[in-house]
Amino acid sequence: MKIQSLRGMPDLFPEDLEKWHIFELKLLEIFNSFNTNEIRTPLVEFTELFARSVGNSSDIVNKELYSFLDRNEESICLRPEGSASVIRAVIQKKQEQDKHKLWYQGPMFRYERPQKGRYRQFHQIGVEYLGFEEGTSEYELIAMVLQIHQSLGIQDYTIKINHLGDAQAKEKFCTSLVSFLEPQIEELHEKDQARLKSNPLRVLDSKEKSTQELLKNAPKFQDFISEKSKRFLKDLVNAFKDQCNIQIDQSLVRGLDYYTGIVFEIVSTELGAQDAFLGGGRYDNLSNQLGGKDMHAIGFAIGVERIIELLNVKHTSQPLKVGFIIAGEQIDKKTYKIANDLRSANKSIILDTFLSEGSLKSHLRRANKNNCNFVIIIGDDELKNNQAIWKDLCEDGDQELLSFKELIDKYTNL
Ligand code: AMP
């Protein structure tokens, strides 16, 4: 029996990754221009990290965590998201009092029911601004998000944004929401009855019609957050509303327990059921929750598989590609050295060597299929005379015989 990959954990082949590379290059350019630097944290953490940060009552920790006991009987897990690890790392290095502008990328793991746009191993690229209180950092991060969209050619998107107030406002709202819903608990969808007990804010996220009907008369977040917070949200939306579709959405609470202040999510109608491809917000309490000193924090994470679906850009300039064909009987060490010398002479060209035996015709067919602009052909006679054939595949198929020295010169100046 052939061994299969795990469900929801797809392989990514070169043809799949073409768009990923464009995406990564564009993002790197943007992060550099914001002086935001990369951090890499391990894929495996203590389960406790996510129980304390994301929250024991969240789906991510309750149902979706890949956690297991290691050989030392310690509960460890594959990370389901990036923020908690970044904050853990900064606390561990005792740098809570510094300012950090960081980005990270890599696979995340959640035991969800796989479907289009939802995987058990998926990838995120995220940004964390640490040490900056509510204010300009919200503006800067939304501006960064807009730059990302612009540079990727993404046009169909809506930014949904909300303000969750501070921790006390969130607490008071929660209590009031529970008092409102508890007497009518029978009318809530079964799933939401459970949520009301474990994580009441998640009820607002519900997609169930009966629940949404009940929520129409429920207490509203807006009535619990301060005038200052409301004004901040309004000003933020006003600053960007001419450049993009940005809407206040009071039902936006985001799945994780740790958010306070601004939260946002970006959706696209081009994505189908799993329409959110970017989520973020402020989580000033997370450092404390993880045993660190006070540290302001705000960030966002992009779901790479989903944003790739929306990408509307191509490589601006494709590098030239040259096929290297050994057409003789013998595979001589000398030919390997010529290929190596060519690569050293001009690193901007892709030299595609055809390493297996085969007829000249089949090699040429392959070179065309691989989109080579030129081919170098070395047969037995050429090898004997230190020569090579240079053939143009783009235009009318001109070819010339060159000495190895001439070949290197031509390749260098291509
Ligand atoms: P979250 O960490 O839940 O705020 O998710 C941030 C982004 O990651 C979402 O907007 C999605 O684009 C992406 N994402 C979350 N879970 C998955 C998943 N299971 N499969 C693919 N992408 C995901």
Side-chain angles (χ1 to χ4, degrees):
M1 253 229 308
K2 288 181 191 150
I3 296 173
Q4 304 282 315
S5 66
L6 272 68
R7 217 174 138 228
M9 299 201 179
D11 299 306
L12 292 163
F13 275 80
E15 58 272 27
D16 306 317
L17 289 170
E18 260 173 47
K19 280 187 162 184
W20 288 57
H21 292 154
I22 301 175
F23 168 73
E24 284 163 6
L25 282 174
K26 298 248 177 217
L27 256 72
L28 189 58
E29 226 172 66
I30 293 175
F31 292 153
N32 282 340
S33 75
F34 279 80
N35 197 23
T36 299
N37 299 303
E38 188 182 6
I39 179 167
R40 295 188 190 185
T41 60
L43 262 61
V44 180
E45 297 273 4
F46 285 117
T47 307
E48 171 79 7
L49 175 66
F50 300 103
R52 289 230 316 249
S53 58
V54 176
N56 262 327
S57 60
S58 67
D59 283 353
I60 292 185
V61 168
N62 256 346
K63 293 191 266 176
E64 297 167 5
L65 211 56
Y66 274 91
S67 67
F68 33 84
L69 295 180
D70 70 2
R71 286 169 193 273
N72 209 16
E73 299 283 297
E74 291 195 276
S75 179
I76 59 172
C77 68
L78 301 179
R79 63 180 182 192
E81 57 105 43
S83 299
S85 304
V86 172
I87 302 274
R88 193 256 323 124
V90 170
I91 296 172
Q92 195 168 331
K93 221 171 168 210
K94 300 190 173 56
Q95 290 188 341
E96 299 102 299
Q97 256 122 27
D98 295 345
K99 309 238 178 278
H100 308 268
K101 294 181 182 177
L102 301 169
W103 67 271
Y104 62 84
Q105 69 168 330
M108 306 293 161
F109 304 85
R110 294 184 195 172
Y111 196 84
E112 296 191 83
R113 196 169 48 79
Q115 62 180 89
K116 188 176 178 311
R118 190 159 75 192
Y119 307 97
R120 288 182 172 172
Q121 175 176 321
F122 61 99
H123 297 75
Q124 289 186 337
I125 287 197
V127 171
E128 309 288 345
Y129 271 29
L130 308 179
F132 303 94
E133 69 284 7
E134 178 172 272
T136 321
S137 44
E138 272 81 353
Y139 284 76
E140 177 148 318
L141 285 194
I142 301 281
M144 185 191 277
V145 161
L146 293 194
Q147 282 217 11
I148 291 174
H149 286 81
Q150 195 194 14
S151 97
L152 300 177
I154 298 174
Q155 277 159 357
D156 171 8
Y157 67 93
T158 305
I159 305 181
K160 298 197 280 182
I161 192 162
N162 195 16
H163 199 299
L164 300 184
D166 53 20
Q168 287 101 324
K170 197 167 159 185
E171 186 74 49
K172 275 194 204 146
F173 171 71
C174 252
T175 314
S176 159
L177 183 69
V178 172
S179 327
F180 172 82
L181 288 175
E182 251 172 359
Q184 319 176 65
I185 194 158
E186 296 302 317
E187 287 166 57
L188 282 178
H189 188 275
E190 216 173 286
K191 268 194 219 150
D192 296 322
Q193 294 188 6
R195 282 173 166 172
L196 184 63
K197 296 211 170 78
S198 61
N199 186 358
L201 283 186
R202 289 295 312 280
V203 178
L204 301 186
D205 262 346
S206 173
K207 300 225 162 30
E208 305 301 333
K209 271 212 177 97
S210 55
T211 302
Q212 282 306 334
E213 199 54 39
L214 261 187
L215 286 174
K216 279 189 183 153
N217 298 319
K220 299 275 177 285
F221 242 136
Q222 290 307 89
D223 301 330
F224 289 79
I225 70 172
S226 67
E227 282 308 313
K228 188 168 159 256
S229 299
K230 278 189 218 167
R231 197 162 349 102
F232 183 75
L233 175 63
K234 227 184 200 163
D235 288 348
L236 190 62
V237 169
N238 282 339
F240 291 103
K241 72 174 192 303
D242 291 341
Q243 301 164 56
C244 62
N245 189 4
I246 182 166
Q247 293 169 4
I248 295 178
D249 178 350
Q250 287 186 25
S251 66
L252 183 70
V253 290
R254 316 248 319 116
L256 316 186
D257 278 359
Y258 54 57
Y259 287 105
T260 53
I262 288 290
V263 286
F264 52 95
E265 191 165 270
I266 310 193
V267 295
S268 170
T269 53
E270 285 176 33
L271 285 177
Q274 303 300 320
D275 62 352
F277 62 93
L278 186 152
R282 177 168 284 281
Y283 30 91
D284 285 348
N285 299 327
L286 185 52
S287 176
N288 285 156
Q289 256 165 267
L290 295 177
K293 298 201 175 102
D294 288 345
M295 178 169 64
H296 295 290
I298 178 169
F300 64 82
I302 300 175
V304 182
E305 282 80 358
R306 295 191 196 164
I307 204 169
I308 291 289
E309 291 275 306
L310 303 172
L311 220 67
N312 213 355
V313 279
K314 292 202 164 64
H315 270 304
T316 37
S317 60
Q318 286 283 3
L320 281 175
K321 199 184 237 187
V322 176
F324 187 85
I325 299 173
I326 313 293
E329 290 286 296
Q330 83 297 48
I331 304 284
D332 194 287
K333 279 204 198 80
K334 217 161 137 193
T335 53
Y336 146 77
K337 188 170 173 334
I338 300 161
N340 217 28
D341 289 348
L342 289 168
R343 289 200 178 99
S344 312
N346 190 339
K347 292 198 177 61
S348 67
I349 298 172
I350 299 172
L351 187 69
D352 189 7
T353 46
F354 301 111
L355 302 174
S356 57
E357 286 176 18
S359 67
L360 177 58
K361 209 166 149 199
S362 70
H363 282 318
L364 281 171
R365 216 179 302 125
R366 174 135 231 123
N368 269 309
K369 189 165 165 259
N370 288 6
N371 295 321
C372 290
N373 306 95
F374 305 94
V375 284
I376 295 163
I377 304 163
I378 304 180
D380 292 337
D381 289 346
E382 288 80 26
L383 194 61
K384 243 182 271 150
N385 300 325
N386 286 340
Q387 287 176 320
I389 297 167
W390 177 269
K391 185 172 169 61
D392 192 334
L393 290 187
C394 308
E395 289 159 16
D396 42 14
D398 274 356
Q399 64 178 56
E400 53 186 321
L401 192 62
L402 303 174
S403 71
F404 284 167
K405 183 171 175 322
E406 286 166 333
L407 176 69
I408 298 274
D409 285 347
K410 184 164 189 101
Y411 196 87
T412 309
N413 300 313
L414 204 61

